[in-house]
Amino acid sequence: MNDIATAAPDSGLLLHARLATLADAESHGLIEDGALAWRNGRILWLGPSAQLPAAFDDLRGQALDACGALVTPGLIDAHTHLVFAGDRASEFEQRLEGVGYEAIARAGGGIMATVRATRAASEEALLAAALPRARALLREGVTTVEIKSGYALTLDGEARMLRVARRLGAQLGIEVRCTLLALHAVPPEFAQQRAAYVDAVCADWLPRLHAQGLLDAVDAFCEGIGFSAAETRRLFAAARALGLPVRLHADQLSNLHGAALAAEFGALSADHLECTDDAGVAALATAGTVAVLLPGSYYALREKRRPPVAALRAAGVPMAVASDLNPGTSPLRSLRIAMNMACTLFGLTPLEALHGVTAYAARALGLDDRGRLQPGLRADLVLWDAQTPAELSYWLGGDLAAAVFAGGARRK
Ligand code: DI6
Ligand code: FE
């Protein structure tokens, strides 16, 4: 009965769209006047509208006519810290007065300011604070988002953050991937016992949180004001023993050879990379680790060192682009603005930026079922109020996502 097909929430048909399939890294893989059909949340067919097989005739009644507009895979924000309480607008003012980020952190502000606010917040308050941030991403086409813990730094508090992240996904109908970032800062209780903190995270927190189904990956802030390479190594060994993938905040403010360390452990991604050297780039290339570029924090901190984009490109390292949405260094609630910044500040092409928030962002999360338009993949789709892929990086702001589908169901 046609009624049933019409009512199916995760089946549908798009007609007369300019499909950017992103089938390979060198092109947009455009299909002009394309049709795309999906059932049960999966893409079943795509090709020229005139060649749509009769098997999808039942979907025509609910078809969306794109009238030639652009359709891309759902966007993927592969690096955020969007669950937190409070804000750090006062630090923004301080930094504008010339006080440095590291100086603010060493004086007890920075990450620790957000830790105090986050510890004091209930699970419901954290959820209420995070929802508009996740919604802002969804409204502009994000259908998968990675969210890190790291602002509670107690076992229960980190679990609370991760539960909130999972609940955001369930509530908005998008997919959330959860990353443990307990090695973000040393909590005050462990100020004189760093090694004991790292021990607790590795031997106790990690297995417990994993057993609760709260972890998809493990990350660390490997930095002069964060954790050393040796401490990161211990965490990665513990993650490996549990079969959990790792990623790393690497070489953002200083070169602790984080990229090479991430590569050594076969990390899914190494993120930031402003201070990464040639050896780090070569190691990423060999390991197949994705470089996640985060221009929001580069911009907000008014950094001078850019990630070695030309070297990454020449070495064939896949580059993803993410918002790094966090209250301190990247209060950026827009993945499209991150794409623009990746082009304007880091020299990516708009094509690279688009691959960076789709196919390569999927790879940075270890997900092979999304990020391109292809039969068998998830029906994560965005119909844009735009004609060309370059427009997604070109327009600064604006409500360009006309329709958003996640797992085949309409979310906007
Ligand atoms: N790198 C960053 O840019 C953020 N965390 C991190 O590991 C900073 C987070 C903050 O300042 O709150
Ligand atoms: Fe970050």
Side-chain angles (χ1 to χ4, degrees), residues 28 37 95 214 236 297 310 381 385:
H28 293 107
R95 286 205 311 276
L214 288 172
F236 280 6
S297 56
L381 309 163
D385 187 7

Side-chain angles (χ1 to χ4, degrees), residues 81 88 101 111 151 184 221 249 252 272 297 324 326-329:
H81 313 240
R88 307 234 294 276
Y101 176 71
I111 292 170
Y151 285 125
H184 198 193
F221 189 32
H249 280 75
Q252 179 188 8
H272 285 289
S297 56
D324 198 14
N326 78 69
T329 61

Side-chain angles (χ1 to χ4, degrees), residues 44-235:
L44 291 188
W45 188 88
L46 71 168
S49 293
Q51 295 172 23
L52 180 73
F56 302 108
D57 279 351
D58 62 310
L59 298 175
R60 282 187 183 271
Q62 67 191 84
L64 203 58
D65 185 346
C67 300
L70 179 70
V71 169
T72 68
L75 306 190
I76 299 169
D77 195 342
H79 181 142
T80 85
H81 313 240
L82 70 76
V83 173
F84 58 86
D87 68 79
R88 307 234 294 276
S90 63
E91 291 183 10
F92 171 59
E93 293 179 305
Q94 277 181 278
R95 286 205 311 276
L96 291 172
E97 299 284 335
V99 187
Y101 176 71
E102 299 192 53
I104 292 171
R106 291 191 198 281
I111 292 170
M112 289 318 300
T114 301
V115 168
R116 288 189 290 275
T118 302
R119 285 183 173 185
S122 68
E123 183 164 328
E124 298 310 315
L126 275 181
L127 181 67
L131 256 173
R133 300 174 197 134
R135 259 200 206 106
L137 296 177
L138 164 61
R139 271 202 301 266
E140 61 172 24
V142 172
T143 52
T144 300
V145 58
E146 185 260 13
I147 303 178
K148 301 173 196 299
S149 72
Y151 285 125
L153 311 180
T154 63
L155 174 57
D156 289 349
E158 294 288 290
R160 183 163 70 235
M161 287 187 71
L162 294 164
R163 280 196 305 272
V164 166
R166 290 266 192 250
R167 287 175 65 185
L168 285 170
Q171 197 154 327
L172 297 179
I174 59 176
E175 184 144 327
V176 168
R177 303 295 284 182
C178 291
T179 303
L180 180 69
L181 183 57
L183 295 201
H184 198 193
V186 178
E189 312 78 79
F190 284 93
Q192 306 311 321
Q193 327 159 50
R194 301 179 61 90
Y197 180 62
V198 177
D199 274 344
V201 170
C202 293
D204 189 27
W205 300 15
L206 204 50
R208 279 183 201 247
L209 295 168
H210 186 38
Q212 291 172 45
L214 288 172
L215 301 184
D216 300 309
V218 177
D219 191 352
F221 189 32
C222 183
E223 198 57 64
I225 56 168
F227 291 84
S228 69
E231 289 164 337
T232 302
R233 205 174 270 283
R234 287 173 55 202
L235 176 76

